[in-house]
């Protein structure tokens, strides 16, 4: 049995790009055109094939599945019960399986939440802030608002004890209100926050982005504003994904989020028909590397084309990025956003560069101080002499009990009175 040489995360799309919302900034809805004659539903046979190959290819003791879309819950709860059953069927002894699902929450109810809790699913829930900024883009197929359903889903998940991360897409509207947005999530009771910048290049305009894309400098200013409040009042209580990522290089750790890693290619996509694509943002004919019914998943993960895709992120960095003082914190960002020219005219600069540089330059000194304090505390704990045992922590010895000295005699006949 061959396993992958490194850990991986696959965005599995069992319903393809099908969704019950019509978010105006969504980059995945138009992927339906790739399969005009195909029903966007992974068949039972394909589902079991994928799960079995994924388990077999996973190198570590923990096997992680990530269910994405579109909107995966449109397939119904019974479909996900089938997923859990296939996972149990193929799980090797001594290994653990974890599941995550990204959802807009519209279809969640008590039964869904009970299932998530029982099966240990982690849930990512998409909410873009208060109603007026959430509903400007996140609308139903009938162009109705979806904010109320999102909040209801969050309350249901919390009530049933299901771990829930909130994913907030940052666009041209909500990025203008950093503290209002952050405090909304804080008052909601969110403990895990991710902010995903909406970036969509404008066709025919070099370096230009769509009107709903987040402006680069506004993105950086947003992160700085909420970082200051988080550092002052919420560090250790609320987890903000990009703040955690910013601290990892200072702790000598590799980035966990793919957009900030030095290389990429470890988060490919499996479409509903078994097609394998290099990345969620590169689901196109050029980056379709095969199908798991024709080529085993592990071979696609380890293929020269996929490895080359991952290495290109580092190799294509422009000179100004290689010389940047915060390179280790962003590593040039996601390749999909590298459509701007550098000040000296070299292609390949990330559209969000100005925002990244503003934020990482701002937060690094504070995070470095926290890391220095942490290391000092750990060193002090290692060097501290062992604490003497408390006398009152030793249970009293009765006259007829065995003597604590280990002689085997009764205490009254041995050490009592000595």
């Amino acid at each position: 049995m061959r396993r992958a040489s490194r850990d991986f995360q696959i965005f599995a799309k069992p319903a393809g790009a099908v969704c019950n919302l019509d978010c105006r900034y969504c980059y995945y809805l138009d992927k339906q055109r790739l399969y005009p004659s195909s029903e966007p539903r992974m068949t039972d046979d394909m589902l079991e094939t994928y799960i079995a190959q994924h388990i077999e290819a996973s190198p570590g003791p923990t096997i992680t599945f990530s269910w994405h879309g579109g909107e995966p819950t449109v397939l119904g709860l019974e479909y996900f019960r089938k997923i859990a059953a296939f996972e149990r069927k193929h799980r090797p002894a001594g290994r653990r399986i974890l599941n995550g699902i990204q959802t807009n929450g519209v279809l969640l109810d008590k039964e869904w939440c009970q299932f998530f809790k029982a099966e240990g699913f982690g849930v990512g829930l998409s909410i873009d802030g208060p109603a007026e900024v959430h509903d400007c883009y996140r609308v139903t197929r009938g162009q109705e608002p979806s904010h109320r359903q999102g909040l209801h889903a969050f309350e249901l998940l919390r009530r049933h004890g299901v771990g829930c991360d909130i994913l907030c897409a940052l666009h041209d509207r909500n990025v203008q209100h950093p503290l209002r947005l952050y405090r909304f999530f804080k008052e909601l009771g969110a403990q895990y926050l991710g902010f995903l910048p909406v970036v969509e290049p404008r066709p025919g305009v070099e370096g230009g982005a769509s009107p709903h894309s987040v402006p680069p400098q506004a993105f950086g200013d947003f992160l700085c504003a909420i970082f200051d409040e988080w550092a002052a009042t919420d560090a250790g209580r609320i987890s903000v994904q990009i703040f955690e990522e910013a601290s990892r290089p200072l702790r000598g750790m590799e980035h966990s989020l793919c957009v900030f890693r030095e290389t990429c290619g470890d988060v490919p996509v499996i479409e509903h028909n078994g097609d394998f694509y290099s990345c969620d943002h590169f689901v196109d004919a050029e980056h379709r590397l095969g199908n798991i019914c024709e080529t085993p998943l592990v071979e696609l993960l380890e293929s020269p084309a996929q490895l080359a895709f991952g290495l290109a992120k580092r190799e294509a960095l422009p000179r100004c990025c290689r010389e940047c003082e915060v390179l280790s914190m962003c590593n040039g960002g996601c390749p999909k956003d590298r459509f701007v020219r550098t000040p000296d005219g070299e292609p390949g600069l990330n559209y969000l560069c100005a925002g990244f540089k503003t934020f990482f330059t701002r937060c690094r000194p504070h995070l470095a101080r926290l890391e220095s304090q942490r290391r000092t505390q750990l060193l002090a704990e290692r060097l501290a002499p062992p604490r003497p045992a408390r006398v009152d922590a030793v249970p009293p010895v009765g006259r007829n009990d065995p003597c604590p000295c280990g002689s085997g005699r009764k205490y009254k006949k041995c050490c009592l009175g000595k």
Side-chain angles (χ1 to χ4, degrees):
M1 180 177 67
R2 183 185 177 192
R3 294 182 180 175
S5 61
R6 65 200 187 283
D7 289 330
F8 59 86
Q9 178 186 11
I10 291 177
F11 281 4
K13 313 268 189 174
V18 171
C19 188
N20 50 2
L21 293 187
D22 190 21
C23 303
R24 292 172 188 147
Y25 54 64
C26 183
Y27 63 90
Y28 212 80
L29 287 177
D30 70 341
K31 302 304 178 184
Q32 294 184 57
R33 60 183 169 77
L34 294 171
Y35 302 99
S37 60
S38 173
E39 181 185 359
R41 181 186 182 93
M42 192 176 281
T43 65
D44 290 359
D45 287 345
M46 179 64 72
L47 182 63
E48 183 169 12
T49 295
Y50 163 59
I51 288 172
Q53 290 193 22
H54 184 118
I55 290 172
E56 185 173 330
S58 298
T62 300
I63 302 161
T64 303
F65 286 89
S66 299
W67 305 100
H68 280 247
E71 173 53 43
T73 63
V74 299
L75 294 170
L77 180 53
E78 290 308 311
Y79 190 92
F80 276 81
R81 294 192 198 280
K82 206 175 300 178
I83 286 174
F86 284 144
E87 290 175 349
R88 281 191 288 271
K89 176 181 176 180
H90 292 280
R91 180 179 65 85
R95 301 181 76 190
R96 183 169 69 140
I97 290 179
L98 298 178
N99 284 280
I101 183 171
Q102 185 65 39
T103 176
N104 56 42
V106 169
L107 298 176
L108 297 193
D109 57 17
K110 178 182 176 180
E111 281 193 294
W112 271 106
C113 294
Q114 289 174 336
F115 168 79
F116 290 149
K117 181 64 176 178
E119 297 294 342
F121 269 62
V123 177
L125 182 64
S126 296
I127 300 178
D128 287 355
E132 57 270 27
V133 290
H134 174 100
D135 289 333
C136 66
Y137 291 135
R138 296 190 64 81
V139 294
T140 68
R141 290 289 181 181
Q143 303 305 297
E144 296 295 324
S146 66
H147 189 259
R148 180 180 56 81
Q149 295 98 313
L151 292 192
H152 179 64
F154 180 78
E155 288 302 321
L156 277 175
L157 292 164
R158 182 163 62 175
R159 196 179 309 153
H160 287 83
V162 178
C164 177
D165 298 1
I166 285 184
L167 180 64
C168 172
L170 282 180
H171 46 72
D172 63 311
R173 304 280 190 90
N174 58 5
V175 76
Q176 307 297 334
H177 310 283
L179 294 183
R180 185 167 173 227
L181 205 69
Y182 178 67
R183 290 168 185 170
F184 166 80
F185 289 126
K186 183 159 62 170
E187 291 168 8
L188 193 63
Q191 292 183 302
Y192 306 95
L193 287 173
F195 293 100
L196 178 68
V198 173
V199 178
E200 184 181 63
R202 179 180 290 179
V205 180
E206 185 177 15
S210 66
H212 54 252
S213 295
V214 61
Q217 191 57 55
F219 175 59
D221 294 341
F222 174 96
L223 293 176
C224 289
I226 66 170
F227 178 82
D228 289 346
E229 175 147 333
W230 172 86
T233 63
D234 302 317
R237 191 170 64 86
I238 296 176
S239 175
V240 181
Q241 186 181 49
I242 193 169
F243 301 166
E244 291 186 351
E245 288 297 322
S247 71
R248 292 179 75 88
L250 302 172
R251 303 179 69 174
M253 301 168 68
E254 183 183 10
H255 283 292
S256 61
L257 193 60
C258 64
V259 296
F260 296 135
R261 290 181 192 158
E262 188 177 16
T263 60
C264 60
D266 297 330
V267 191
V269 162
I270 294 289
E271 260 288 346
H272 65 285
N273 69 336
D275 282 350
F276 178 102
Y277 293 88
S278 293
C279 170
D280 192 41
H281 292 285
F282 291 87
V283 176
D284 52 42
E286 180 184 353
H287 295 93
R288 179 191 177 278
L289 303 189
N291 186 288
I292 61 171
C293 290
E294 301 161 357
T295 307
L297 177 61
V298 67
E299 292 184 20
L300 294 167
L301 288 166
E302 300 287 317
S303 67
Q306 184 66 2
L307 297 176
F309 173 83
L311 291 173
K313 178 180 181 179
R314 179 180 60 200
E315 294 170 355
L317 273 176
R319 182 175 58 84
C320 75
C321 290
R322 298 174 190 272
E323 297 173 355
C324 180
E325 61 270 22
V326 294
L327 173 62
S328 67
M329 303 183 94
C330 83
N331 285 302
C334 184
K336 79 175 180 67
D337 298 333
R338 295 182 183 178
F339 55 85
V340 178
R341 290 187 177 271
T342 67
D344 58 2
E346 190 178 359
L349 184 66
N350 195 299
Y351 167 82
L352 294 171
C353 176
F356 281 144
K357 196 163 187 178
T358 295
F359 168 63
F360 289 129
T361 301
R362 172 71 162 271
C363 75
R364 186 168 57 176
H366 178 81
L367 294 176
R369 284 194 300 272
L370 289 180
E371 176 59 15
S372 177
Q373 292 169 6
R374 188 186 71 87
R375 290 180 180 178
T376 299
Q377 182 178 351
L378 288 175
L379 180 61
E381 290 173 357
R382 289 196 199 102
L383 297 178
R387 296 180 180 179
R390 288 174 50 192
V391 174
D392 62 359
V394 180
V397 181
R399 288 170 52 83
N400 293 311
D401 291 338
C403 187
C405 76
S407 66
R409 302 169 64 192
K410 290 184 178 180
Y411 182 42
K412 66 183 179 182
K413 297 288 188 181
C414 189
C415 292
L416 179 62
K418 290 184 179 179

